[in-house]
Amino acid sequence: MIVPTPHPDRTVSPASPQTLAQKLVARAAGRGRVTPGEIVTCRVDLAMMHDSGGPRRVGPMLERLGAKPWDPSRVVVVTDHYVPVHDEESRRIVAVARDFAAQHSVRALHDGIGICHVVLPEQGHLRPGMFVVGGDSHSPTGGAFGCYAFGVGATEMLGVLVTGEIWLKVPHTVRIRWDGRFGPGVSAKDAMLRLCGALGMDGGGYHAVEYCGEAVEALSMRERMTMANMTAELGGQAGLFAPDATTRAWLGEAGVHEVDVETWRSDPSAAVLAEHRFDASSLAPQVAAPHSPANAAPVDVHAGTPLTAAYLGACTGAKLDDLRMAASILRGRRCAEGLRLMVAPASRRDETIAREEGTLGALLEAGAELLPTACGACAGYGAHRFGDDDVVIASTARNFRGRMGAPGSRVYLASPYTVAASAVAGTIADPREFL
Amino acid sequence: MTATRGRAFVFGDDVDTDALAPGAWIKFGVEEIARHCLEALDPSFAARVRPGDVVVAGRNFGAGSSREQAAAALRHLGVAAVVARSFAGIFHRNAINLGLPVLECERADAVRAGDALAVDIAGACVELPERGLVLACTPVPDHLKAILDAGGLLPWLERRIAAQRNPNPP
Ligand code: SF4
């Protein structure tokens, strides 16, 4: 296990009220405080790349520059998009990732053990206070752990690898407060679809989105990861949670100790750009119609829509908690005749736990087909792609036209509860009727 | 940064990265991806667009993935600039890094498909000579102009490294 320590030469001045985002960016910029809107240069604690956007694209550019990664101990390479390999190109892409890690002495190569955003915290790479750059748009997932984590493209990653630094426009903070508690059959995914529907896919304005409130504090780490993850669909740069006892306990299990839960929270009087309040207790399960997460509406709007397939997958919707939600509906039931239910667990570790505790068994007995732990059908890169006639309900993050297959395929987004209930019904269904 | 002239290809809000660089083609090089650029929204786009033309769109252009092939495909097709009411954050950074000029223009919806237009990055405006319109844009910050002027982040880094290796050129 490799746990890069935050750069030691930074301290955060407690003098004036700052948001969590400001504190994280100030630390990385080596400054006492920063002001939203100013351009700063940040030192990067951790750079994560996956097989698709990483080595195969960054490697040749590094070579052209005759440069090497600034600090291989701060680089993580994960293969997830093109595993398991299924053709000539995917074989080559994954081989390039492995060779890159070997050539540049990157010890943290996580090869086919899960989706990058889930593997990062699982393998002990994240801890509160870190500044993390990932070569993938769902990198905000790391914000669940109090890291300033965001996604970049391959050329930007090249800049990070060469210099160890990246420029940033200090973000404003958009605060999202969930009062009350989520009801039975309602989860973090529903909350995020509701936010996409209410605020739009640019509602985050490329600012830092901070999640708080009673319902958020009560969430498990994996549920917080789902919220931070879908900050990408809200158009936020980072999705932040103040670390607490839940964070400390989870990271302790991942082998990360000495977790600072005092420093990394917004000062009570810190100024934010906007604060949106939502009531968790009255939130109904949400379904986003094709072809945008912003097409979200309460499940009854789409209930009865006939389906050909249901997909439990992705960093967003196939972690252990997601599999458990689905199993709570599917246990003792069968998938509807003619509907194909696919499960692609988000990590090997979650898959193993799910198998041992009987969660996976409940899914398989209901007729689910187990796909390899990987990005799978989510990005439409691999062997599993939906056809023009498919109407799918998926626990993934985005349903853009043609993303998961043919341009004619129609994908509805929902929580694992709703995906499972719909798999049983054969049509989009309210999971609360199955609890 | 000199002004570029071309014809407008107009799109709506939330043009996403899967439309710009469809997943099925991502494993191939940019030539192949570019052939399918925006085909979900306009099947003939890649065949019709000419070097110097300009993509004009609504809000949140480039939403979604961090795949920079979304910007690379446009550049490969010779698109001289993208003018939009707003851009998704990652796409905006990627475009600059690949040397593709991007201009935020609150009045982008005034542009019609096929309009002749001149895009002036330094002057932060879009001119529609045939319609006698000049649309003001958000000025591009200096640190990004420097990357665009270099032709993208890779040549920018190349110069920086060369300067470090040879700090006192003759
Ligand atoms: S599972 Fe889907 S959203 Fe997550 S990293 Fe893979 S392709 Fe991206």
Side-chain angles (χ1 to χ4, degrees), chain B residues 115-166:
Chain B
D115 276 350
L117 75 183
V119 176
D120 182 355
I121 301 295
C125 68
V126 174
E127 199 186 335
L128 304 172
E130 292 167 359
R131 296 175 52 202
L133 281 176
V134 178
L135 311 176
C137 303
T138 310
V140 177
D142 287 342
H143 73 292
L144 298 185
K145 253 190 243 164
I147 297 174
L148 278 179
D149 282 339
L153 187 62
L154 178 57
W156 185 90
L157 284 166
E158 225 158 15
R159 283 186 202 174
R160 180 179 139 145
I161 289 172
Q164 279 167 351
R165 285 184 187 148
N166 183 15

Side-chain angles (χ1 to χ4, degrees), chain A residues 50 80-81 115-117 136-138 229 233 311 313-316 374-381 396-398 403, chain B residues 67:
Chain A
H50 58 57
D80 54 5
H81 281 60
I115 302 165
C116 55
H117 309 300
D136 188 278
S137 62
H138 286 102
N229 175 285
E233 278 58 51
Y311 185 68
C315 50
T316 320
C375 291
C378 175
Y381 289 2
T396 54
R398 45 177 77 127
R403 174 176 170 88
Chain B
R67 62 185 75 161

Side-chain angles (χ1 to χ4, degrees), chain A residues 330 333-341 363 365-368 420 423-426:
Chain A
L330 287 166
R333 293 193 171 100
R334 291 283 308 172
C335 284
E337 193 84 26
L339 178 139
R340 188 175 175 198
L341 170 63
L363 302 180
E365 274 161 37
V424 172

